[in-house]
Amino acid sequence: MGDSGSLDSSSNLLRATSFYTIIILLCVLLYGMKVIRAPSLGRAHELVVRYILQEGSFLRTENGEDTVETDEVCLRVETPFERPMSSACSRFKEAFLDSYAHNLLFGSDAVFEYDYHGRLFDWGCGLCDASGEVHCDQVRYIVEKLRASPESRRAVGVTWCPPVDGKLGDCPCLQLIQCVVRDGRLDMKVVFRSNDMLSAAGANMFALARLQEFVAKEVGAAVGAYTHVSLVPHIYFKRDAADIPPFCQEGRAFTPSEVVCRACGRCGLSRR
């Protein structure tokens, strides 16, 4: 992709992507959003899974997978390092989550169509200027911006790369991170265009809180609140049916919708 664009064009695309995401957020805020407040990331994960399994509407995706989804949702955790950081109901335990967070912060040797470490610490996607490939460390930008101006609202990083991502079979779900410092605490706000809340959100939140901690230490601030916005939160209720019973406890904790229960088939509720 050596001739895929200039630095000016990539900068314009970056600004346009940020502006587009902000406009979406403003529209969401104007029309209202489901807000889930929880004392820990693990509990937030449990509550959002319950909400989608109970209230979600059926949608078959463009890839032919059956999901239930809701309108946009916001998870707010004032103390993201309060335990449990991950739900005991999730099949992904902390050893896996520690590895996932390490890879986000420091990269890995695995090869994917994209990864969040690359998009946040080395954004460029093969775009070029006159001197070669573009490499933008957005996390370093956030740190330096907040060191210079702790009151700034411009400490933002984005992942989307329009010339590349529109052609990918698997494109980034995380779109934007923003860090702000208020009263000596660094808050992180993240936006996902789409989020698998059952199988991915727990790991996403865990790793991004570790990124929040990393930035806070670099800036010299305490870790503040973590806000996680998903514009299209969903669950693959057929593909991941085996992961549902630990959350609903076969109807003892809560009762998922009929379409979910019928697909799961692991307790008497499937015969409703």
Side-chain angles (χ1 to χ4, degrees), residues 41-42 44-46 48-49 52 73 75 85-86 90 92 97 100 190 192 194-209 226 228 230 233-235:
L41 297 178
H45 188 203
E46 293 165 359
V48 75
V49 167
I52 296 168
V73 66
L75 309 179
M85 287 186 68
S86 62
S90 173
F92 297 111
L97 299 178
Y100 181 77
V190 307
F192 281 72
S194 176
N195 209 181
D196 177 352
M197 305 309 282
L198 179 63
S199 298
N204 295 150
M205 292 189 289
F206 186 97
L208 287 166
Y226 175 85
H228 186 107
S230 174
H234 58 271
I235 288 174

Side-chain angles (χ1 to χ4, degrees), residues 104-199:
L104 186 148
L105 287 170
F106 304 107
S108 75
D109 294 329
V111 178
F112 303 101
E113 286 193 288
Y114 76 92
D115 66 74
Y116 291 140
H117 174 81
R119 292 300 178 93
L120 293 173
F121 288 84
D122 188 18
W123 190 94
C125 309
L127 300 176
C128 293
D129 63 10
S131 61
E133 282 197 9
V134 174
H135 295 279
C136 179
D137 187 340
Q138 299 185 89
V139 176
R140 180 51 47 190
Y141 161 77
I142 288 171
V143 168
E144 292 176 354
K145 170 59 72 175
L146 293 176
R147 282 177 177 171
S149 303
E151 70 284 358
S152 180
R153 297 169 296 187
R154 301 180 183 182
V156 173
V158 301
T159 64
W160 195 260
C161 185
V164 173
D165 291 335
K167 302 173 185 176
L168 293 183
D170 181 21
C171 54
C173 294
L174 173 66
Q175 295 295 294
L176 176 147
I177 65 170
Q178 181 183 32
C179 294
V180 299
V181 176
R182 298 293 183 267
D183 299 321
R185 293 162 57 85
L186 185 136
D187 296 342
M188 175 176 277
K189 309 165 195 292
V190 307
V191 180
F192 281 72
R193 63 167 179 84
S194 176
N195 209 181
D196 177 352
M197 305 309 282
L198 179 63
S199 298

Side-chain angles (χ1 to χ4, degrees), residues 217-259:
K217 287 180 178 178
E218 291 289 305
V219 171
V223 173
Y226 175 85
T227 302
H228 186 107
V229 176
S230 174
L231 298 178
V232 187
H234 58 271
I235 288 174
Y236 294 95
F237 67 93
K238 285 188 177 179
R239 186 195 71 185
D240 298 330
D243 293 334
I244 294 173
F247 283 90
C248 71
Q249 295 294 302
E250 297 184 349
R252 295 188 299 275
F254 63 89
T255 302
S257 66
E258 289 188 24
V259 67

